[in-house]
């Protein structure tokens, strides 16, 4: 038959096993077909009765043509809107070698430090830059956005308050509206009162526990707050400042004038606006708060050989320890964007950053003088980059003329705001002046700009606030000025990290699947990256078309009525979903419903999110098979029927099983007046086979950075949109600046109206190129791959849980607890896997002493076999310890991982050979990945917390 009509299908590239390999795997499992395996795995009562209705799958070429057409509908005007978002110049060496490089964007969160030293160093650089610029000692390795960072700060200070009766958070009126919106959302469940009032000492009353300052203010003014912060300190009132990172190269840092916490957005450090994200927020605070700071901290320690090493300090996320007592549910960071920002700081150094900031400030001063010369009133007496021009009836004509010249300003009543950024040129200033001149009936020639340029010596910053302290003094920020040196530095760090470029990352619950190149390509197009999130709606038609179409597709996939794309992490999605349920109950006069049932096996963010939504957590037992104990569920639901708010459930379960009772579970909760929140972490096993809506859930968040192919980026970005049933649609999150929901919608949960909008292009691509059949095949293949691994390993490692027919879903738990009898811990297996070239599966979650394995659909049979061979070989190494052939403390597992320095050392005294250490299986020689450090010292790193780049002397002393 002729191949004239043949067209390659993207699904064949996305899924790993070839058809012949898949058949071999099915035969190994004792089944004839994928359909037979699915029948044995997914309960018949929840299987969809008809296929999903989605557009026909596109080829990669056809998709790129389609998305180019979508992108062209966006109008990329010059944006002077400001409000926390600015156009930037991304250095080409960073764009090509970090943002567009799978060696950086496919890495997982650095829980296995020995094979993550590159991104750990880049994140430490980020912390150092932020610490230097803010003037505070402790910095985390990024949060989601400025608004949520401010909310995290509010609650850290709330929990640290000395006067436990104080419930008021005093907020300057001069705050970004999106930040105030998110603060108000987060304050409601805890009864925190947001008081918007002038920062006058008279307002520092007994009920105030902390105050919030925007620096520079939202209108651009720069004020000295020393008197205010001193008065606040005298009364035990703490200070949170939101600062512009670029401005801090010229302004006195908040840490020097009394701030306890400084938050903000690092977007100006080389990260495109992207219609709102993703961008790495920063959070800096005093050493006194180091045990309270939310998110991740990268710290300095040493390895088993005494060498410099980095790790995530205080590593176990607090929500897994404290659960419903946790003060934060932060899980996803914005690691990739923090890494970009850190390289931007390395690329420019202190001198370059100051030059950029000074140029921005000088252009702003030039524009100020020019507009005043035209007869306009510019109201900001002090400023860094933002002017406020008072207009009357002229404002309409000005807006029209600005749009004719493709310029966007910020409009508020009769005031026009103009924020200058790194990309602004002298010619741009001429264009702005020309627009303002025309409104006055004048010409550009009526202003002598060249003369004004010669008279910019007068400072627009108060003398007392001109920065005197040094920053970015570490050699890292002063060594890589040429592109050659910068390129080599980036590559030297990349080489220390294991990513999907090297091997599968079999992390259960984390879904490390292919991030296809074609999915990633549009991300860096200007028509997606160059839009301000508050741009006029008629300039964002492309984004709106993409978001609306993605809404339709995800609604079809989930069985829900509508999606909200605002939450920019899975944990944020959990919180948003619970707040929507809360609003629904309140609308029915049942605001007293405050009990949330959560299975004992749940992910730690579940109880943490419930607590943040003001709910009381009641734990439901699991049975001996790891399933939710339905008898206990029914007792708890009946016991709390009058106050039952919701149940949070993960499906398939956190144990990797399709529980048979899931429909009954939903019916029990509904019968007692509650709502069912489904955690979408395991959606990779549902798509095309079943759906949350079909099962009976009311709301579910989707980890787009898992099931729908947005890469993990070393620990973020993430997107956690929520889908809801029809009765919850009116309560989806709204936004103060851009309305995205109805009047009943809850206030914002993220800074931007559509969260990290630019990365929605990735999931859009994945669904468009897979189509309904492709997505279903991906789910089937994920289940096939997992069951194949289970079948190969279960005679070597006990598999903790399985479904009614002995099948797992898309992941399984290997029980390693029995090895403790001979001194082998699950961490030893994780470290030894590095010598075989693999990242460990998820360690000790959801059961301590176990490994949770998820292969995803993207891995080939050869790669699955390679991983299984490694695990079997490690089991044989454990057997040698069990048999007494290897010492319990001095063996190849306890010394793992083995670095090149150790293996090639002149002296070798270990009871096993160098070949065993470095090349335990033949395939390793052909593609060896060397861990750059030996096993890191976790306890040392926690005892002596160093979270910025130390000098050699400081490190030696520590």
């Amino acid at each position: 038959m002729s191949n004239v009509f043949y067209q390659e299908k993207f699904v064949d590239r996305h899924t790993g096993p070839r058809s012949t390999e898949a058949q071999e795997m099915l035969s190994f499992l004792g089944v004839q077909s994928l359909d037979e395996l699915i029948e044995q795995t997914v309960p018949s009562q929840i299987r969809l009765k008809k296929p999903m209705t989605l557009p026909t799958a596109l080829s990669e070429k056809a998709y790129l043509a389609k998305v180019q057409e979508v992108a062209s509908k966006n109008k990329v005007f010059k944006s002077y809107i400001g409000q926390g978002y600015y156009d930037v110049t991304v250095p080409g060496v960073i764009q090509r070698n970090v943002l567009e490089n799978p060696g950086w964007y496919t890495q997982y969160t650095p829980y296995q430090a020995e094979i993550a030293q590159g991104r750990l160093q880049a994140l430490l650089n980020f912390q150092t830059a932020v610490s230097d610029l803010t003037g505070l000692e402790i910095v985390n390795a990024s949060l989601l956005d400025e608004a949520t960072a401010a909310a995290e700060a509010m609650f850290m200070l709330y929990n640290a308050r000395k006067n436990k009766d104080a419930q008021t958070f005093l907020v300057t009126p001069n705050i970004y509206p999106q930040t105030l919106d998110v603060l108000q959302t987060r304050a409601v469940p805890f009864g925190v009162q947001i008081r918007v009032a002038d920062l006058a000492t008279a307002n520092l009353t007994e009920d105030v526990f902390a105050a919030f300052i925007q620096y520079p203010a939202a209108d651009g003014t720069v004020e000295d707050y020393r008197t205010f912060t001193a008065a606040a300190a005298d009364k035990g009132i703490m200070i949170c400042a939101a600062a512009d990172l670029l401005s801090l190269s010229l302004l006195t840092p908040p840490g020097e004038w009394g701030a306890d916490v400084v938050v903000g957005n690092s977007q100006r450090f080389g990260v495109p606006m992207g219609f709102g994200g993703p961008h790495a927020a920063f959070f800096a605070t005093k050493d006194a708060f180091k045990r309270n700071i939310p998110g991740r901290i990268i710290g300095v320690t040493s390895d088993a050989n005494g060498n410099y090493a980095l790790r995530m300090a205080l590593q176990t996320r607090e929500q897994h320890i404290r659960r419903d007592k946790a003060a934060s549910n932060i899980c996803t960071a914005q690691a990739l964007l923090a890494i970009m920002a850190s390289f931007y700081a390395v690329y420019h150094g202190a001198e370059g950053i100051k030059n950029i900031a000074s140029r921005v400030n000088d252009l702003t001063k030039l524009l100020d003088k020019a507009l005043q010369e035209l007869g306009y009133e510019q109201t900001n007496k002090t400023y860094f980059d933002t002017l406020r021009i008072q207009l009357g009836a002229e404002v309409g004509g000005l807006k029209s003329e600005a749009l004719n010249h493709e310029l966007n300003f910020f409009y508020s009543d009769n005031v026009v705001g103009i924020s200058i950024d790194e990309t602004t040129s002298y010619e741009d200033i001429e264009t702005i002046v020309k627009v303002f001149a025309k409104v006055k009936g004048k010409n550009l020639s009526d202003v002598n700009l060249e003369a004004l340029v010669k008279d910019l010596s007068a400072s627009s910053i108060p003398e007392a606030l001109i920065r005197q302290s040094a920053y970015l003094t570490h050699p890292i920020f002063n060594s890589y000025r040429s592109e050659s040196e910068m390129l080599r530095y980036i590559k030297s760090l990349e080489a220390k990290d294991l990513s999907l470029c090297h091997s599968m990352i079999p992390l259960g619950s984390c879904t490390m699947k292919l991030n296809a190149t074609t999915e990633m390509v549009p991300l860096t197009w200007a028509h997606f990256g160059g839009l301000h999130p508050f741009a006029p709606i008629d300039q964002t038609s492309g984004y709106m078309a993409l978001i609306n179409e993605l809404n339709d597709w995800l609604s079809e996939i989930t069985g829900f009525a509508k999606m909200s794309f605002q939450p920019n992490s899975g944990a944020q999605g959990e919180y948003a979903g619970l707040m929507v349920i809360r609003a629904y109950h309140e609308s029915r006069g049942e605001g007293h419903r405050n009990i949330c049932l959560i299975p004992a096996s749940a992910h730690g963010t579940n109880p943490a999110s419930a607590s943040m939504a003001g709910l009381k957590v009641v734990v439901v037992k699991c049975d001996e098979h790891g399933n939710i104990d339905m008898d206990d569920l029914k007792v708890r639901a009946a016991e709390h029927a009058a106050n039952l708010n919701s149940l949070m459930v993960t499906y398939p379960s956190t144990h990797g099983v399709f529980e048979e009772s899931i429909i009954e579970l939903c019916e029990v909760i509904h019968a007692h007046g509650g709502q069912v929140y489904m955690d979408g972490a395991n959606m990779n096993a549902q798509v095309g086979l079943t759906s949350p809506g079909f099962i009976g859930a009311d709301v579910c968040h989707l980890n787009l950075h898992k099931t729908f192919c947005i890469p993990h980026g070393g620990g973020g970005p993430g997107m956690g949109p929520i889908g809801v049933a029809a009765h919850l649609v009116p309560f989806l999150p709204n936004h103060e600046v851009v309305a995205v929901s109805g009047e009943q919608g809850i206030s914002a949960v993220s800074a931007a109206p559509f969260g990290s909008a630019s990365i929605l292009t990735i999931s859009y691509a994945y669904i468009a190129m897979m189509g309904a059949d492709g997505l279903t095949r991906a789910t089937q293949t994920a289940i096939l791959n997992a069951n194949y691994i289970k079948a190969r390993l279960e005679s070597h490692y006990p598999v903790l849980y399985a479904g009614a027919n002995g099948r797992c879903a898309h992941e399984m738990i290997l029980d390693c607890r029995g090895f403790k009898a001979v001194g082998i811990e699950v961490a030893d297996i994780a470290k030894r896997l590095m010598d075989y070239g693999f990242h460990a599966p998820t360690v000790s979650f959801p059961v301590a002493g176990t490994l949770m394995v998820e292969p995803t659909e993207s891995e080939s049979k050869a790669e699955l076999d390679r991983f299984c061979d490694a695990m079997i070989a490690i089991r044989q190494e454990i057997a040698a310890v069990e048999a007494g052939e290897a010492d319990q403390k001095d063996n190849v597992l306890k010394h793992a991982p083995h670095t090149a320095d150790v293996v090639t050392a002149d002296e070798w005294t270990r009871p096993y050979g160098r070949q065993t250490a470095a090349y335990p299986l033949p395939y390793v020689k052909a593609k060896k990945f060397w861990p750059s450090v030996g096993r890191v010292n976790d306890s040392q790193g926690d005892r002596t917390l160093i979270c910025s780049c130390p000098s050699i002397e400081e490190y030696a002393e520590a």
Side-chain angles (χ1 to χ4, degrees), residues 771-826:
D773 290 344
L775 291 172
T776 304
R777 180 173 147 195
T779 308
Q780 293 170 327
T781 307
I783 292 171
L784 169 63
N785 284 0
N787 279 282
Y788 178 71
I789 287 181
K790 176 179 178 291
R792 280 211 61 193
L793 295 183
E794 59 191 352
S795 62
H796 304 277
Y797 298 85
V799 176
L800 209 49
Y801 303 111
N805 297 311
R807 302 299 186 192
C808 64
H810 63 308
E811 60 190 2
M812 80 220 70
I813 298 174
L814 304 180
D815 192 352
C816 304
R817 292 172 294 184
F819 307 140
K820 294 186 73 167
V822 292
I824 300 299
E825 303 285 347
V826 68

Coordinates of all heavy atoms in Angstrom, one line a residue, residues 771-826:
G771 N -4.2 14.7 20.9 CA -5.6 14.4 20.6 C -6.1 13.4 21.6 O -5.4 13.0 22.5
A772 N -7.4 13.1 21.5 CA -8.1 12.2 22.5 C -7.5 10.8 22.5 O -7.2 10.3 23.5 CB -9.6 12.2 22.1
D773 N -7.2 10.3 21.3 CA -6.7 8.9 21.2 C -5.2 8.9 21.8 O -4.9 8.0 22.5 CB -6.7 8.4 19.8 CG -8.1 8.1 19.3 OD1 -9.0 8.0 20.1 OD2 -8.2 8.0 18.0
G774 N -4.5 9.9 21.5 CA -3.1 10.0 22.0 C -3.0 10.1 23.5 O -2.2 9.5 24.1
L775 N -3.9 11.0 24.0 CA -3.9 11.1 25.5 C -4.3 9.8 26.2 O -3.7 9.5 27.2 CB -4.8 12.3 25.9 CG -4.4 13.7 25.5 CD1 -5.5 14.7 25.7 CD2 -3.2 14.1 26.2
T776 N -5.2 9.2 25.6 CA -5.7 7.9 26.2 C -4.6 6.8 26.1 O -4.3 6.1 27.1 CB -6.9 7.4 25.5 OG1 -7.9 8.4 25.5 CG2 -7.4 6.1 26.1
R777 N -3.9 6.8 25.0 CA -2.8 5.9 24.8 C -1.7 6.2 25.8 O -1.0 5.3 26.3 CB -2.3 5.9 23.4 CG -1.1 4.9 23.1 CD -0.8 4.9 21.7 NE 0.7 4.7 21.5 CZ 1.3 4.9 20.3 NH1 0.6 5.3 19.3 NH2 2.6 4.6 20.2
A778 N -1.4 7.5 26.0 CA -0.4 7.9 27.0 C -0.7 7.3 28.4 O 0.2 6.7 29.1 CB -0.2 9.4 27.1
T779 N -2.0 7.4 28.8 CA -2.4 6.9 30.1 C -2.2 5.4 30.2 O -1.7 4.8 31.1 CB -3.8 7.3 30.4 OG1 -4.0 8.7 30.2 CG2 -4.2 6.9 31.8
Q780 N -2.7 4.7 29.1 CA -2.6 3.3 29.1 C -1.1 2.8 29.1 O -0.7 1.9 29.8 CB -3.2 2.7 27.8 CG -4.7 2.9 27.7 CD -5.2 2.6 26.3 OE1 -4.5 2.8 25.3 NE2 -6.4 2.1 26.2
T781 N -0.2 3.6 28.4 CA 1.2 3.2 28.4 C 1.9 3.5 29.8 O 2.7 2.7 30.2 CB 1.9 4.0 27.3 OG1 1.2 3.8 26.1 CG2 3.4 3.5 27.1
A782 N 1.4 4.6 30.4 CA 2.0 4.8 31.8 C 1.6 3.7 32.7 O 2.5 3.2 33.5 CB 1.4 6.1 32.3
I783 N 0.4 3.1 32.6 CA 0.0 2.0 33.4 C 0.8 0.7 33.0 O 1.2 -0.1 33.9 CB -1.5 1.8 33.3 CG1 -2.2 3.0 34.0 CG2 -2.0 0.5 33.9 CD1 -3.7 3.1 33.8
L784 N 1.0 0.6 31.7 CA 1.7 -0.6 31.2 C 3.2 -0.5 31.8 O 3.7 -1.5 32.3 CB 1.8 -0.6 29.7 CG 2.8 -1.6 29.0 CD1 2.4 -3.0 29.3 CD2 2.8 -1.3 27.5
N785 N 3.8 0.6 31.6 CA 5.2 0.7 32.1 C 5.4 0.5 33.6 O 6.3 -0.2 34.0 CB 5.8 2.1 31.7 CG 6.1 2.3 30.3 OD1 5.9 1.4 29.5 ND2 6.5 3.5 29.9
A786 N 4.4 1.0 34.4 CA 4.5 0.8 35.8 C 4.3 -0.7 36.1 O 5.0 -1.2 37.0 CB 3.4 1.6 36.5
N787 N 3.3 -1.3 35.5 CA 3.1 -2.7 35.8 C 4.2 -3.6 35.3 O 4.5 -4.7 35.9 CB 1.8 -3.2 35.3 CG 0.6 -2.8 36.2 OD1 0.3 -3.4 37.2 ND2 -0.1 -1.7 35.8
Y788 N 4.9 -3.2 34.3 CA 6.1 -4.0 33.8 C 7.2 -3.9 34.8 O 7.8 -4.9 35.2 CB 6.5 -3.4 32.5 CG 7.8 -4.1 31.9 CD1 7.7 -5.4 31.4 CD2 9.0 -3.4 31.9 CE1 8.8 -6.0 30.9 CE2 10.1 -4.0 31.4 CZ 10.0 -5.4 30.9 OH 11.2 -6.0 30.4
I789 N 7.5 -2.7 35.3 CA 8.5 -2.6 36.4 C 8.1 -3.4 37.6 O 8.9 -4.1 38.2 CB 8.7 -1.1 36.7 CG1 9.5 -0.4 35.6 CG2 9.5 -1.0 38.1 CD1 9.7 1.1 35.9
K790 N 6.8 -3.3 38.0 CA 6.4 -4.0 39.2 C 6.6 -5.5 39.0 O 7.1 -6.2 39.9 CB 4.9 -3.8 39.4 CG 4.2 -4.6 40.5 CD 2.7 -4.2 40.6 CE 2.1 -5.1 41.7 NZ 1.9 -6.5 41.4
A791 N 6.3 -6.0 37.8 CA 6.5 -7.5 37.5 C 7.9 -7.9 37.5 O 8.3 -9.0 38.0 CB 5.8 -7.8 36.2
R792 N 8.8 -7.0 37.1 CA 10.2 -7.3 37.0 C 10.9 -7.3 38.4 O 11.8 -8.0 38.7 CB 11.0 -6.4 36.1 CG 10.9 -6.8 34.6 CD 12.1 -6.4 33.9 NE 13.3 -7.0 34.4 CZ 14.6 -6.7 34.1 NH1 14.8 -5.7 33.2 NH2 15.6 -7.4 34.6
L793 N 10.3 -6.4 39.3 CA 11.0 -6.2 40.6 C 10.4 -6.8 41.8 O 11.0 -6.9 42.8 CB 11.1 -4.6 40.9 CG 11.9 -3.8 39.9 CD1 12.0 -2.3 40.4 CD2 13.4 -4.4 39.8
E794 N 9.1 -7.3 41.6 CA 8.4 -7.8 42.8 C 9.0 -9.0 43.4 O 8.7 -9.3 44.6 CB 6.9 -7.9 42.6 CG 6.5 -8.9 41.5 CD 5.0 -8.8 41.1 OE1 4.3 -8.0 41.8 OE2 4.6 -9.4 40.1
S795 N 9.8 -9.8 42.7 CA 10.5 -10.9 43.3 C 11.7 -10.5 44.0 O 12.4 -11.3 44.7 CB 10.8 -12.0 42.2 OG 11.7 -11.5 41.3
H796 N 12.1 -9.3 43.9 CA 13.3 -8.8 44.6 C 13.0 -7.8 45.7 O 13.7 -7.7 46.7 CB 14.2 -8.1 43.5 CG 14.6 -8.9 42.4 ND1 15.6 -9.8 42.4 CD2 14.1 -9.0 41.1 CE1 15.7 -10.5 41.3 NE2 14.8 -10.0 40.4
Y797 N 12.0 -7.0 45.5 CA 11.5 -6.0 46.5 C 10.0 -6.2 46.7 O 9.2 -6.3 45.7 CB 11.7 -4.6 46.0 CG 13.1 -4.2 45.7 CD1 13.7 -4.5 44.5 CD2 13.9 -3.5 46.7 CE1 15.0 -4.1 44.2 CE2 15.2 -3.2 46.5 CZ 15.8 -3.4 45.2 OH 17.1 -3.1 45.0
P798 N 9.5 -6.3 48.0 CA 8.1 -6.4 48.2 C 7.4 -5.1 47.6 O 7.9 -4.0 47.9 CB 8.0 -6.4 49.7 CG 9.3 -6.9 50.2 CD 10.3 -6.3 49.2
V799 N 6.3 -5.3 46.9 CA 5.5 -4.2 46.4 C 4.4 -4.0 47.5 O 3.6 -4.9 47.7 CB 5.0 -4.4 45.0 CG1 4.0 -3.3 44.6 CG2 6.1 -4.5 44.0
L800 N 4.3 -2.8 48.0 CA 3.5 -2.6 49.2 C 2.0 -2.7 49.0 O 1.3 -3.3 49.8 CB 3.8 -1.2 49.8 CG 3.7 -1.1 51.4 CD1 4.3 -2.2 52.1 CD2 4.2 0.2 51.8
Y801 N 1.5 -2.1 47.9 CA 0.1 -2.1 47.6 C -0.2 -2.5 46.2 O 0.6 -2.2 45.3 CB -0.6 -0.8 48.0 CG -0.3 -0.3 49.4 CD1 0.5 0.8 49.7 CD2 -0.9 -1.0 50.4 CE1 0.8 1.2 51.0 CE2 -0.7 -0.6 51.8 CZ 0.2 0.5 52.0 OH 0.4 0.9 53.3
A802 N -1.4 -3.1 45.9 CA -1.8 -3.3 44.6 C -3.4 -3.4 44.6 O -4.0 -3.4 45.6 CB -1.3 -4.7 44.1
G803 N -3.9 -3.3 43.4 CA -5.4 -3.3 43.2 C -5.9 -4.7 43.4 O -5.2 -5.7 43.7
A804 N -7.2 -4.8 43.1 CA -8.0 -6.1 43.4 C -7.4 -7.2 42.5 O -7.4 -8.4 42.9 CB -9.4 -5.9 43.0
N805 N -6.8 -6.9 41.3 CA -6.3 -7.9 40.4 C -4.8 -8.0 40.5 O -4.1 -8.5 39.5 CB -6.8 -7.7 39.0 CG -8.3 -7.8 38.9 OD1 -8.9 -8.8 39.4 ND2 -8.9 -6.8 38.3
G806 N -4.2 -7.4 41.5 CA -2.7 -7.4 41.6 C -2.0 -6.4 40.8 O -0.8 -6.5 40.6
R807 N -2.8 -5.5 40.2 CA -2.1 -4.4 39.3 C -2.0 -3.1 40.1 O -2.8 -2.8 41.0 CB -3.0 -4.2 38.1 CG -3.3 -5.4 37.2 CD -2.0 -6.0 36.7 NE -2.3 -7.1 35.7 CZ -1.3 -7.9 35.3 NH1 -0.1 -7.8 35.7 NH2 -1.7 -8.9 34.4
C808 N -1.0 -2.4 39.7 CA -0.8 -1.0 40.2 C -1.3 -0.1 39.2 O -1.7 -0.4 38.1 CB 0.7 -0.7 40.6 SG 1.8 -0.7 39.1
A809 N -1.4 1.2 39.6 CA -1.9 2.2 38.6 C -0.6 2.6 37.8 O 0.0 1.8 37.2 CB -2.5 3.4 39.3
H810 N -0.3 3.9 37.9 CA 0.9 4.4 37.1 C 2.1 4.5 38.0 O 3.2 4.9 37.5 CB 0.6 5.8 36.6 CG 0.4 6.8 37.7 ND1 -0.5 6.6 38.7 CD2 0.9 8.0 37.9 CE1 -0.5 7.6 39.6 NE2 0.4 8.5 39.1
E811 N 2.1 4.0 39.2 CA 3.2 4.0 40.1 C 3.0 2.9 41.2 O 1.9 2.4 41.3 CB 3.3 5.4 40.8 CG 2.1 5.8 41.6 CD 2.1 7.2 42.1 OE1 3.1 8.0 41.8 OE2 1.2 7.6 42.8
M812 N 4.1 2.6 41.9 CA 4.1 1.6 42.9 C 5.0 1.9 44.0 O 6.0 2.7 43.8 CB 4.4 0.2 42.3 CG 5.9 0.0 42.2 SD 6.4 -0.8 40.6 CE 6.0 0.4 39.4
I813 N 4.9 1.3 45.2 CA 5.7 1.5 46.3 C 6.5 0.2 46.6 O 6.0 -0.8 46.8 CB 4.9 1.9 47.5 CG1 4.1 3.2 47.3 CG2 5.8 2.0 48.8 CD1 3.2 3.6 48.4
L814 N 7.9 0.4 46.5 CA 8.8 -0.8 46.9 C 9.1 -0.7 48.3 O 9.6 0.4 48.8 CB 10.0 -0.7 46.0 CG 9.8 -0.7 44.5 CD1 11.2 -0.6 43.8 CD2 9.0 -1.9 44.0
D815 N 8.9 -1.7 49.1 CA 9.1 -1.7 50.5 C 10.6 -2.1 50.8 O 11.0 -3.2 50.5 CB 8.2 -2.7 51.2 CG 8.1 -2.6 52.7 OD1 9.0 -1.8 53.2 OD2 7.3 -3.2 53.3
C816 N 11.3 -1.2 51.4 CA 12.7 -1.4 51.7 C 13.0 -1.5 53.2 O 14.1 -1.5 53.6 CB 13.6 -0.3 51.1 SG 13.4 -0.1 49.3
R817 N 11.9 -1.5 54.0 CA 12.1 -1.4 55.4 C 12.8 -2.7 56.0 O 13.5 -2.6 57.0 CB 10.7 -1.2 56.1 CG 10.1 0.1 55.8 CD 8.7 0.3 56.3 NE 7.8 -0.6 55.6 CZ 6.5 -0.7 55.8 NH1 5.9 0.1 56.7 NH2 5.7 -1.5 55.1
G818 N 12.6 -3.8 55.3 CA 13.2 -5.0 55.9 C 14.7 -5.0 55.9 O 15.4 -5.7 56.6
F819 N 15.3 -4.2 55.0 CA 16.8 -4.1 54.9 C 17.4 -3.5 56.1 O 18.6 -3.5 56.3 CB 17.2 -3.4 53.6 CG 16.6 -4.0 52.4 CD1 16.1 -3.1 51.4 CD2 16.4 -5.3 52.2 CE1 15.5 -3.6 50.2 CE2 15.8 -5.8 51.1 CZ 15.4 -5.0 50.1
K820 N 16.6 -2.7 56.9 CA 17.2 -2.1 58.1 C 17.8 -3.1 59.1 O 18.6 -2.8 59.9 CB 16.1 -1.3 58.8 CG 15.6 -0.1 58.0 CD 14.7 0.8 58.8 CE 15.4 1.6 59.8 NZ 14.5 2.7 60.3
A821 N 17.3 -4.3 59.0 CA 17.8 -5.4 59.9 C 19.3 -5.6 59.7 O 20.0 -6.0 60.6 CB 17.1 -6.7 59.6
V822 N 19.8 -5.3 58.5 CA 21.3 -5.4 58.3 C 21.9 -4.1 58.1 O 23.0 -3.9 57.5 CB 21.6 -6.4 57.1 CG1 21.2 -7.8 57.4 CG2 20.9 -5.9 55.8
G823 N 21.2 -3.0 58.5 CA 21.8 -1.7 58.5 C 21.7 -0.9 57.2 O 22.3 0.2 57.1
I824 N 21.0 -1.4 56.3 CA 20.8 -0.7 55.0 C 19.5 0.1 55.0 O 18.4 -0.4 55.2 CB 20.7 -1.7 53.8 CG1 22.0 -2.5 53.7 CG2 20.5 -1.0 52.5 CD1 23.3 -1.7 53.5
E825 N 19.7 1.4 54.8 CA 18.5 2.3 54.8 C 18.1 2.6 53.4 O 18.9 2.4 52.4 CB 18.9 3.6 55.5 CG 19.4 3.5 56.9 CD 18.3 3.2 57.9 OE1 17.1 3.4 57.5 OE2 18.6 2.8 59.1
V826 N 16.9 3.1 53.3 CA 16.4 3.4 51.9 C 17.2 4.5 51.3 O 17.4 4.5 50.1 CB 14.9 3.8 52.0 CG1 14.7 5.2 52.7 CG2 14.3 3.9 50.6

